[in-house]
Amino acid sequence: MSILDRLFDLPEDNRRRCVIRGVDIRKVYRTGKVETHALRGATLEIYEGEYLSIMGPSGSGKSTLFNMIGGLAKPTSGKVYIDQVDIAQLDNDELAWLRCRKVGYIFQSYNLLQTMSCLENVMLPMSFAGLDQERAQEKGIEILKLVGLGHRLLHKPAELSGGQQQRVAIARALANSPGIILADEPTANLDQKTGDEMIELLARLRKELGVTIISATHDSKMLQRSDRIMWISDGRIEKVVRPDEMDFSEHGLH
Amino acid sequence: MQTIAEQIHLPWRNAFEVVLQGIRIRLGRSLVTLSGVALGTAFLMSLLAAGTLRESVRDEALVRDEVTRMQNFLRIETGPFEGRRFAQLPLGEPNAVETRLLASIGKVTPVPRLEAGGKADAILLIGEPAPGAALQPLPEGALVALTRQAQGPLAPEAFQLDRELTTEELAQMESTARKAAARKVWIVVIALLVTVIGICNSLLMSVTERFREIGTMKCLGARSSFIRRLFFIESGLIGTLGSLAGAIGGLLFALFLYGLTYGFGTVFGSLLIGPLSLQFLITWGAGLVLAILAAIYPANRAAAMVPATALRSNI
């Protein structure tokens, strides 16, 4: 690590453990003969227990970066380490293992499996991790209670409100006690009040469980609650600021 | 660096549950696909069973063929039966073919016994003649038709209905049968291909429809093999149930058809249970195998999906 320490200007609080490290991440998409450079060399570190927001206009490479640090796609060049593991070295099954245990995903449109009850949705990642049904059920009920849905265990997602569905999705993301929660615009489909509840819930979980939360968002309330805000533009990390350094009147925030 | 273990394989039971829930939700389309499989296999089954049933009513079928042939030969000589005066001249006990022949001509025009000195356009000799027997004088100008080879010496000029087929005729019949068989094989192959394409198409639709669902499962840690398995189970279920229904339906259809033609008593009295069961199993197995073959492409497409699709796809 000493070489990396010298190579990269680490922030002062590098006593904290680094859970995600990206080194000169580049990603090129090829459609026919056209090359699209989605990322042009992004270098970043994300620390344990931190709340990082990523923002940027559409087409800035934000989602690409998001996919890379979530282990959903491999970079064209550069390195991505999730919990010290270089994801480029992993085959598909190992990536599945990593996604299952290390990262919890929250999607903008919840992405709950409509055919399953809330409890089954939460139990699914635990089955993937090899937990037996009984313990998975126990743990699933516990987590759903934690997000305030202890009374909706056997409902189908379609029977729930958007906010409740997103709570189930959060519960599902927490199923295998991952160190990292990756949230893609988690409040975008929710009304103001429900969105605020979701932000509170995420903040509480982070405090209680010590998980690292990374979210792509344009929600100013969410940005204000984060530790750092990463601004992506044209495939590069333009700046990383603290919420108090940021002018919320610009960038068309709401 | 910490070690990354290989993601565990989920037991089939989990995949099975996911598939069952999926089928329950998409029941309508599953049923349509299933009936496609059922129709294709029913077709195969009914053709296979028809062959066996024909074997079991063989004696009856031979008599019918013989009667039809005699009728045709007779018609060539006499023209249409309507308005002709037929008469029969019994020489001995009539056999099954003769009885049927008389009955079938009798439906069109009566065939009375030939009285001494009676008139007739066509006279049918019926039964085995006693050795050394001689014919009574027959009316002038009447056509005499023989239903048995043994009647030949009695009336050398007479018209023989019970003919040995010539080699040419035999060859002709064989070639017709061969062509019919080839046509049947061709139709069965087409029907089964349509079934395979139907399942394949339905599963591909299912893949497109479940883009986000599959991506989400991959994000949650599903192995590619788990996703692949989902599709094989779905298609295996459709194949098992569909071809079972098809095999039953095809068998019943063939039984019904043969029952109508040859009489239910004849058909059910001489059922060849062994060969029919074997054909039933073959049809059932063929349906299942084809269903699984049809799933290969859709399953691989689903398994190859990139998990990141879950984040974007709005389908």
Side-chain angles (χ1 to χ4, degrees):
Chain A
M1 283 302 142
S2 56
I3 302 166
L4 276 176
D5 280 351
R6 262 175 275 137
L7 270 175
F8 301 105
D9 185 18
L10 296 180
E12 288 158 17
D13 54 356
N14 72 348
R15 282 156 284 140
R16 286 204 279 164
R17 206 161 72 89
C18 177
V19 286
I20 293 177
R21 187 196 299 271
V23 184
D24 195 28
I25 311 170
R26 288 166 193 276
K27 181 72 176 180
V28 183
Y29 292 107
R30 283 192 182 80
T31 345
K33 283 179 182 166
V34 186
E35 284 192 354
T36 314
H37 293 262
L39 279 179
R40 302 162 186 272
T43 297
L44 73 156
E45 290 189 325
I46 300 168
Y47 302 99
E48 191 172 30
E50 108 169 295
Y51 190 159
L52 176 78
S53 288
I54 301 177
M55 56 182 297
S58 63
S60 60
K62 181 183 56 172
S63 348
T64 308
L65 180 65
F66 202 77
N67 292 344
M68 299 291 153
I69 59 185
L72 298 177
K74 289 181 185 178
T76 310
S77 73
K79 297 276 185 195
V80 177
Y81 299 91
I82 297 176
D83 232 4
Q84 326 278 332
V85 178
D86 180 2
I87 64 160
Q89 307 290 329
L90 304 182
D91 65 24
N92 281 335
D93 286 340
E94 288 166 336
L95 269 177
W97 186 93
L98 183 112
R99 286 195 291 264
C100 187
R101 289 167 178 76
K102 299 287 181 189
V103 192
Y105 301 89
I106 300 170
F107 307 95
Q108 181 178 338
S109 38
Y110 329 131
N111 287 15
L112 297 173
L113 302 186
Q114 299 295 327
T115 53
M116 298 183 178
S117 70
C118 296
L119 184 58
E120 286 170 325
N121 262 291
V122 177
M123 282 165 63
L124 189 64
M126 296 191 244
S127 314
F128 288 143
L131 208 62
D132 63 74
Q133 288 295 80
E134 236 169 85
R135 280 181 48 212
Q137 192 164 334
E138 235 168 74
K139 197 173 169 193
I141 294 172
E142 194 183 304
I143 298 173
L144 277 168
K145 278 183 183 156
L146 183 72
V147 299
L149 281 177
H151 57 299
R152 289 274 191 274
L153 297 174
L154 299 179
H155 284 67
K156 290 276 161 71
E159 298 160 6
L160 303 180
S161 70
Q164 287 171 324
Q165 290 193 44
Q166 195 58 296
R167 279 168 194 271
V168 178
I170 292 174
R172 185 178 63 181
L174 292 170
N176 289 324
S177 318
I180 304 158
I181 296 272
L182 215 61
D184 181 28
E185 310 240 8
T187 59
N189 283 6
L190 300 174
D191 62 57
Q192 184 84 40
K193 185 169 158 288
T194 330
D196 292 351
E197 282 172 22
M198 225 46 63
I199 296 167
E200 286 308 316
L201 176 62
L202 284 175
R204 182 162 67 87
L205 294 174
R206 172 182 160 233
K207 213 173 129 201
E208 286 176 12
L209 308 174
V211 291
T212 311
I213 296 180
I214 305 161
S215 79
T217 189
H218 288 100
D219 187 327
S220 60
K221 287 231 176 71
M222 222 169 166
L223 292 172
Q224 277 163 348
R225 293 297 293 260
S226 48
D227 296 326
R228 292 193 294 160
I229 299 164
M230 192 173 277
W231 178 259
I232 314 279
S233 163
D234 198 23
R236 292 188 181 86
I237 298 173
E238 200 164 88
K239 59 188 175 191
V240 180
V241 295
R242 271 194 281 277
D244 50 24
E245 299 167 352
M246 183 155 166
D247 179 6
F248 282 96
S249 56
E250 61 176 333
H251 304 310
L253 292 166
H254 48 80
Chain B
M1 187 184 274
Q2 84 186 102
T3 47
I4 296 283
E6 214 183 72
Q7 179 70 306
I8 63 139
H9 285 280
L10 270 185
W12 283 86
R13 194 169 50 84
N14 294 57
F16 203 76
E17 279 167 15
V18 174
V19 170
L20 277 188
Q21 280 161 330
I23 287 184
R24 215 175 301 142
I25 295 292
R26 287 174 282 269
L27 190 63
R29 207 180 57 231
S30 302
L31 283 180
V32 172
T33 318
L34 197 126
S35 50
V37 180
L39 283 179
T41 46
F43 197 60
L44 174 65
M45 184 67 208
S46 64
L47 283 185
L48 286 177
T52 312
L53 289 175
R54 175 141 188 100
E55 199 64 32
S56 67
V57 294
R58 192 163 160 205
D59 294 342
E60 171 69 17
L62 281 178
V63 169
R64 288 188 182 206
D65 284 353
E66 191 64 18
V67 170
T68 315
R69 254 179 45 216
M70 286 188 174
Q71 258 185 307
N72 288 341
F73 285 139
L74 194 58
R75 198 175 276 122
I76 290 169
E77 292 299 316
T78 64
F81 295 158
E82 288 89 352
R84 302 267 162 191
R85 282 177 301 163
F86 282 90
Q88 53 173 305
L89 183 56
L91 304 172
E93 279 302 304
N95 63 13
V97 176
E98 287 160 340
T99 317
R100 288 288 185 84
L101 180 65
L102 288 176
S104 69
I105 300 172
K107 278 182 201 158
V108 183
T109 175
V111 191
R113 260 164 182 274
L114 182 69
E115 306 295 332
K119 299 261 180 206
D121 297 332
I123 298 160
L124 292 166
L125 300 196
I126 301 295
E128 182 96 21
L135 272 187
Q136 64 186 83
L138 296 175
E140 286 280 315
L143 174 81
V144 180
L146 308 180
T147 53
R148 298 198 190 194
Q149 298 283 341
Q151 295 160 347
L154 285 178
E157 303 294 306
F159 182 65
Q160 190 82 47
L161 290 180
D162 181 23
R163 271 195 230 165
E164 291 291 324
L165 289 175
T166 64
T167 358
E168 272 169 37
E169 279 169 329
L170 274 175
Q172 173 99 43
M173 274 173 65
E174 249 173 54
S175 126
T176 315
R178 252 204 322 275
K179 273 182 201 156
R183 204 175 303 129
K184 269 184 196 167
V185 170
W186 172 240
I187 296 175
V188 166
V189 167
I190 292 288
L192 294 180
L193 271 182
V194 169
T195 306
V196 169
I197 291 170
I199 303 178
C200 192
N201 182 45
S202 150
L203 288 177
L204 279 177
M205 264 174 70
S206 184
V207 173
T208 320
E209 207 171 71
R210 282 194 265 180
F211 240 54
R212 214 164 57 173
E213 201 177 308
I214 296 165
T216 307
M217 285 202 258
K218 284 197 146 188
C219 284
L220 299 180
R223 293 174 68 119
S224 298
S225 62
F226 177 79
I227 305 288
R228 198 174 288 124
R229 204 175 277 178
L230 289 182
F231 284 86
F232 280 122
I233 292 179
E234 179 168 340
S235 125
L237 273 179
I238 290 175
T240 309
L241 294 180
S243 56
L244 178 62
I248 293 174
L251 181 59
L252 289 181
F253 180 71
L255 282 175
F256 182 68
L257 220 60
Y258 269 80
L260 276 189
T261 319
Y262 292 102
F264 288 95
T266 322
V267 171
F268 285 98
S270 55
L271 271 190
L272 299 167
I273 303 287
L276 277 182
S277 327
L278 184 66
Q279 284 162 344
F280 188 89
L281 290 181
I282 287 174
T283 308
W284 194 3
L288 181 57
V289 168
L290 289 178
I292 294 200
L293 285 182
I296 293 177
Y297 175 59
N300 282 335
R301 249 186 73 163
M305 251 188 59
V306 186
T309 346
L311 297 163
R312 264 169 287 141
S313 162
N314 286 320
I315 305 165

PDB file of all heavy atoms in Angstrom, chain A residues 76-91:
ATOM      1  N   THR A  76     -12.608  -0.872 -18.560  1.00  0.00           N
ATOM      2  CA  THR A  76     -11.785  -1.178 -19.724  1.00  0.00           C
ATOM      3  C   THR A  76     -10.309  -1.161 -19.324  1.00  0.00           C
ATOM      4  O   THR A  76      -9.534  -2.019 -19.703  1.00  0.00           O
ATOM      5  CB  THR A  76     -12.040  -0.152 -20.837  1.00  0.00           C
ATOM      6  OG1 THR A  76     -13.445  -0.044 -21.033  1.00  0.00           O
ATOM      7  CG2 THR A  76     -11.391  -0.568 -22.134  1.00  0.00           C
ATOM      8  N   SER A  77      -9.933  -0.161 -18.558  1.00  0.00           N
ATOM      9  CA  SER A  77      -8.590  -0.158 -17.980  1.00  0.00           C
ATOM     10  C   SER A  77      -8.664   0.516 -16.625  1.00  0.00           C
ATOM     11  O   SER A  77      -9.655   1.139 -16.272  1.00  0.00           O
ATOM     12  CB  SER A  77      -7.607   0.553 -18.903  1.00  0.00           C
ATOM     13  OG  SER A  77      -7.852   1.946 -18.866  1.00  0.00           O
ATOM     14  N   GLY A  78      -7.611   0.384 -15.847  1.00  0.00           N
ATOM     15  CA  GLY A  78      -7.629   0.900 -14.489  1.00  0.00           C
ATOM     16  C   GLY A  78      -8.050  -0.196 -13.530  1.00  0.00           C
ATOM     17  O   GLY A  78      -8.369  -1.308 -13.939  1.00  0.00           O
ATOM     18  N   LYS A  79      -8.030   0.129 -12.270  1.00  0.00           N
ATOM     19  CA  LYS A  79      -8.307  -0.888 -11.248  1.00  0.00           C
ATOM     20  C   LYS A  79      -9.452  -0.438 -10.350  1.00  0.00           C
ATOM     21  O   LYS A  79      -9.581   0.747 -10.044  1.00  0.00           O
ATOM     22  CB  LYS A  79      -7.071  -1.086 -10.349  1.00  0.00           C
ATOM     23  CG  LYS A  79      -5.855  -1.609 -11.082  1.00  0.00           C
ATOM     24  CD  LYS A  79      -5.926  -3.105 -11.186  1.00  0.00           C
ATOM     25  CE  LYS A  79      -4.643  -3.655 -11.812  1.00  0.00           C
ATOM     26  NZ  LYS A  79      -4.811  -5.025 -12.247  1.00  0.00           N
ATOM     27  N   VAL A  80     -10.281  -1.393  -9.985  1.00  0.00           N
ATOM     28  CA  VAL A  80     -11.295  -1.127  -8.967  1.00  0.00           C
ATOM     29  C   VAL A  80     -11.111  -2.159  -7.867  1.00  0.00           C
ATOM     30  O   VAL A  80     -11.134  -3.357  -8.130  1.00  0.00           O
ATOM     31  CB  VAL A  80     -12.718  -1.231  -9.542  1.00  0.00           C
ATOM     32  CG1 VAL A  80     -13.747  -1.011  -8.445  1.00  0.00           C
ATOM     33  CG2 VAL A  80     -12.926  -0.239 -10.664  1.00  0.00           C
ATOM     34  N   TYR A  81     -10.872  -1.673  -6.652  1.00  0.00           N
ATOM     35  CA  TYR A  81     -10.759  -2.597  -5.524  1.00  0.00           C
ATOM     36  C   TYR A  81     -11.985  -2.436  -4.642  1.00  0.00           C
ATOM     37  O   TYR A  81     -12.285  -1.330  -4.194  1.00  0.00           O
ATOM     38  CB  TYR A  81      -9.515  -2.297  -4.685  1.00  0.00           C
ATOM     39  CG  TYR A  81      -8.224  -2.427  -5.440  1.00  0.00           C
ATOM     40  CD1 TYR A  81      -7.670  -1.326  -6.100  1.00  0.00           C
ATOM     41  CD2 TYR A  81      -7.549  -3.646  -5.475  1.00  0.00           C
ATOM     42  CE1 TYR A  81      -6.482  -1.447  -6.799  1.00  0.00           C
ATOM     43  CE2 TYR A  81      -6.354  -3.762  -6.179  1.00  0.00           C
ATOM     44  CZ  TYR A  81      -5.825  -2.655  -6.837  1.00  0.00           C
ATOM     45  OH  TYR A  81      -4.647  -2.777  -7.525  1.00  0.00           O
ATOM     46  N   ILE A  82     -12.697  -3.517  -4.425  1.00  0.00           N
ATOM     47  CA  ILE A  82     -13.793  -3.488  -3.466  1.00  0.00           C
ATOM     48  C   ILE A  82     -13.336  -4.327  -2.291  1.00  0.00           C
ATOM     49  O   ILE A  82     -13.053  -5.520  -2.443  1.00  0.00           O
ATOM     50  CB  ILE A  82     -15.079  -4.065  -4.075  1.00  0.00           C
ATOM     51  CG1 ILE A  82     -15.531  -3.201  -5.257  1.00  0.00           C
ATOM     52  CG2 ILE A  82     -16.178  -4.142  -3.026  1.00  0.00           C
ATOM     53  CD1 ILE A  82     -16.731  -3.731  -5.997  1.00  0.00           C
ATOM     54  N   ASP A  83     -13.225  -3.696  -1.131  1.00  0.00           N
ATOM     55  CA  ASP A  83     -12.706  -4.403   0.035  1.00  0.00           C
ATOM     56  C   ASP A  83     -11.364  -5.058  -0.292  1.00  0.00           C
ATOM     57  O   ASP A  83     -11.166  -6.239  -0.021  1.00  0.00           O
ATOM     58  CB  ASP A  83     -13.731  -5.459   0.490  1.00  0.00           C
ATOM     59  CG  ASP A  83     -14.040  -5.308   1.966  1.00  0.00           C
ATOM     60  OD1 ASP A  83     -13.517  -4.364   2.575  1.00  0.00           O
ATOM     61  OD2 ASP A  83     -14.797  -6.134   2.496  1.00  0.00           O
ATOM     62  N   GLN A  84     -10.483  -4.319  -0.893  1.00  0.00           N
ATOM     63  CA  GLN A  84      -9.116  -4.759  -1.235  1.00  0.00           C
ATOM     64  C   GLN A  84      -9.049  -5.778  -2.367  1.00  0.00           C
ATOM     65  O   GLN A  84      -7.978  -6.258  -2.700  1.00  0.00           O
ATOM     66  CB  GLN A  84      -8.385  -5.383  -0.024  1.00  0.00           C
ATOM     67  CG  GLN A  84      -8.703  -4.789   1.309  1.00  0.00           C
ATOM     68  CD  GLN A  84      -7.918  -3.523   1.592  1.00  0.00           C
ATOM     69  OE1 GLN A  84      -6.829  -3.347   1.085  1.00  0.00           O
ATOM     70  NE2 GLN A  84      -8.483  -2.631   2.381  1.00  0.00           N
ATOM     71  N   VAL A  85     -10.194  -6.132  -2.944  1.00  0.00           N
ATOM     72  CA  VAL A  85     -10.169  -7.144  -3.995  1.00  0.00           C
ATOM     73  C   VAL A  85     -10.275  -6.473  -5.356  1.00  0.00           C
ATOM     74  O   VAL A  85     -11.167  -5.662  -5.586  1.00  0.00           O
ATOM     75  CB  VAL A  85     -11.334  -8.141  -3.821  1.00  0.00           C
ATOM     76  CG1 VAL A  85     -11.325  -9.152  -4.950  1.00  0.00           C
ATOM     77  CG2 VAL A  85     -11.247  -8.827  -2.475  1.00  0.00           C
ATOM     78  N   ASP A  86      -9.343  -6.790  -6.235  1.00  0.00           N
ATOM     79  CA  ASP A  86      -9.367  -6.242  -7.587  1.00  0.00           C
ATOM     80  C   ASP A  86     -10.445  -6.966  -8.390  1.00  0.00           C
ATOM     81  O   ASP A  86     -10.313  -8.149  -8.684  1.00  0.00           O
ATOM     82  CB  ASP A  86      -7.988  -6.448  -8.222  1.00  0.00           C
ATOM     83  CG  ASP A  86      -7.950  -5.903  -9.641  1.00  0.00           C
ATOM     84  OD1 ASP A  86      -8.981  -5.348 -10.087  1.00  0.00           O
ATOM     85  OD2 ASP A  86      -6.896  -6.030 -10.273  1.00  0.00           O
ATOM     86  N   ILE A  87     -11.491  -6.274  -8.749  1.00  0.00           N
ATOM     87  CA  ILE A  87     -12.609  -6.983  -9.369  1.00  0.00           C
ATOM     88  C   ILE A  87     -12.284  -7.470 -10.784  1.00  0.00           C
ATOM     89  O   ILE A  87     -12.930  -8.371 -11.298  1.00  0.00           O
ATOM     90  CB  ILE A  87     -13.919  -6.158  -9.395  1.00  0.00           C
ATOM     91  CG1 ILE A  87     -13.766  -4.916 -10.249  1.00  0.00           C
ATOM     92  CG2 ILE A  87     -14.391  -5.819  -8.013  1.00  0.00           C
ATOM     93  CD1 ILE A  87     -15.115  -4.381 -10.692  1.00  0.00           C
ATOM     94  N   ALA A  88     -11.247  -6.883 -11.394  1.00  0.00           N
ATOM     95  CA  ALA A  88     -10.874  -7.329 -12.735  1.00  0.00           C
ATOM     96  C   ALA A  88     -10.369  -8.767 -12.711  1.00  0.00           C
ATOM     97  O   ALA A  88     -10.383  -9.461 -13.719  1.00  0.00           O
ATOM     98  CB  ALA A  88      -9.818  -6.414 -13.322  1.00  0.00           C
ATOM     99  N   GLN A  89      -9.895  -9.208 -11.532  1.00  0.00           N
ATOM    100  CA  GLN A  89      -9.336 -10.558 -11.415  1.00  0.00           C
ATOM    101  C   GLN A  89     -10.417 -11.617 -11.215  1.00  0.00           C
ATOM    102  O   GLN A  89     -10.135 -12.803 -11.226  1.00  0.00           O
ATOM    103  CB  GLN A  89      -8.374 -10.638 -10.213  1.00  0.00           C
ATOM    104  CG  GLN A  89      -7.292  -9.594 -10.193  1.00  0.00           C
ATOM    105  CD  GLN A  89      -6.273  -9.834 -11.290  1.00  0.00           C
ATOM    106  OE1 GLN A  89      -6.029 -10.977 -11.662  1.00  0.00           O
ATOM    107  NE2 GLN A  89      -5.706  -8.762 -11.820  1.00  0.00           N
ATOM    108  N   LEU A  90     -11.656 -11.163 -10.995  1.00  0.00           N
ATOM    109  CA  LEU A  90     -12.687 -12.128 -10.620  1.00  0.00           C
ATOM    110  C   LEU A  90     -13.440 -12.635 -11.838  1.00  0.00           C
ATOM    111  O   LEU A  90     -13.665 -11.880 -12.781  1.00  0.00           O
ATOM    112  CB  LEU A  90     -13.692 -11.469  -9.663  1.00  0.00           C
ATOM    113  CG  LEU A  90     -13.098 -10.845  -8.402  1.00  0.00           C
ATOM    114  CD1 LEU A  90     -14.215 -10.281  -7.529  1.00  0.00           C
ATOM    115  CD2 LEU A  90     -12.290 -11.868  -7.617  1.00  0.00           C
ATOM    116  N   ASP A  91     -13.815 -13.904 -11.805  1.00  0.00           N
ATOM    117  CA  ASP A  91     -14.682 -14.392 -12.868  1.00  0.00           C
ATOM    118  C   ASP A  91     -16.139 -14.110 -12.476  1.00  0.00           C
ATOM    119  O   ASP A  91     -16.406 -13.575 -11.401  1.00  0.00           O
ATOM    120  CB  ASP A  91     -14.439 -15.883 -13.149  1.00  0.00           C
ATOM    121  CG  ASP A  91     -14.804 -16.771 -11.974  1.00  0.00           C
ATOM    122  OD1 ASP A  91     -15.627 -16.358 -11.151  1.00  0.00           O
ATOM    123  OD2 ASP A  91     -14.236 -17.877 -11.887  1.00  0.00           O
TER     124      ASP A  91
END
